Amino acid sequence: MTPFPAVILAGGASRRMGTDKAILTLEGEPLLARAQRRIKTQAHPVLISRHGDELAGLPDATVIRDAGTGHEGPLAGILAGLGHLAAQGSKATHMVSLAVDTPFFPADLVERLSGARPAPNVIVLAHSQGRAHPVFALWPLALREALSNWLASGSNRRLMDFVAGHPCLGVDFPLISTKEGAVDPFFNINTPDDLDAARRVAKRITDG
């Protein structure tokens, strides 16, 4: 079975944080390195979609540039990943996407999403607590042209609006249990306060 490739979306503007979130550290490890370490056991190859300069020091990962001319949202990174895989002649049916600022994403993310056994044109979204997390998803390689046309129109970059026009499945993920309460595995870091909270959470969980 052809393994699913993955793209780490690390091209955001980080306006609320005030600095590039990819290089922020959690327990001494940059968020980008943490995301790459956690996903490379689940997917291959691993791509990193960036808008700025390439980052060194991450083995087994390929850095690609976001599609578009500016910080144009996660769909631009997803399109960059799909385009790279198409150019490489990938035989995979889907690509996994994940966000660099979500440090506790499930260690079985790919297994559970692919367990939905989607058809080649079906998007699979992660859910938790009744909410969709569309940055964590399986994207059909067959949607590359449709996504390219959608973004080229320039009228709408909302991820869920694009998803709404295509077949889609959802997969529920449980909360992470700790002695001090449950944690959403898709908790993401947008502000300095979020980073402080993540550092507290990291001390309460043991899955790395």
Side-chain angles (χ1 to χ4, degrees):
M1 179 178 177
T2 302
F4 290 104
V7 62
I8 302 172
L9 303 174
S14 303
R15 294 184 181 91
R16 284 184 284 173
M17 180 60 69
T19 191
D20 185 353
K21 288 189 283 187
I23 62 174
L24 296 174
T25 60
L26 183 64
E27 298 199 310
E29 184 179 33
L31 291 183
L32 180 54
R34 179 185 178 95
Q36 191 263 352
R37 172 176 59 81
R38 289 171 63 85
I39 197 60
K40 75 176 184 179
T41 63
Q42 307 181 47
H44 180 80
V46 175
L47 310 175
I48 299 170
S49 180
R50 297 276 291 167
H51 181 67
D53 296 335
E54 294 187 3
L55 296 176
L58 288 175
D60 306 320
T62 300
V63 180
I64 57 176
R65 287 187 63 85
D66 279 1
T69 58
H71 297 285
E72 298 176 347
L75 283 177
I78 291 164
L79 177 58
L82 294 176
H84 177 87
L85 293 170
Q88 296 296 311
S90 175
K91 302 300 184 183
T93 60
H94 290 73
M95 175 189 75
V96 181
S97 66
L98 61 145
V100 73
D101 62 0
T102 307
F104 310 117
F105 69 85
D108 60 352
L109 176 71
V110 178
E111 179 182 356
R112 291 175 65 91
L113 290 177
S114 62
R117 300 187 180 278
N121 66 329
V122 174
I123 302 167
V124 186
L125 304 183
H127 288 241
S128 68
Q129 294 185 294
R131 177 187 171 195
H133 302 280
V135 174
F136 286 83
L138 282 179
W139 296 92
L141 269 65
L143 285 186
R144 180 177 63 88
E145 183 175 356
L147 179 53
S148 179
N149 292 339
W150 174 276
L151 291 178
S153 72
S155 60
N156 188 339
R157 297 189 176 278
R158 288 176 55 86
L159 198 157
M160 285 303 292
D161 287 351
F162 176 76
V163 169
H166 301 276
C168 180
L169 297 172
V171 174
D172 288 317
F173 286 82
L175 300 183
I176 302 168
S177 296
T178 78
K179 292 181 179 179
E180 298 180 37
V183 176
D184 193 319
F186 301 106
F187 167 84
N188 67 304
I189 298 170
N190 287 314
T191 67
D193 286 345
D194 292 337
L195 180 59
D196 289 341
R199 287 170 174 162
R200 291 192 297 271
V201 169
K203 298 181 185 304
R204 292 156 41 192
I205 62 177
T206 59
D207 74 343

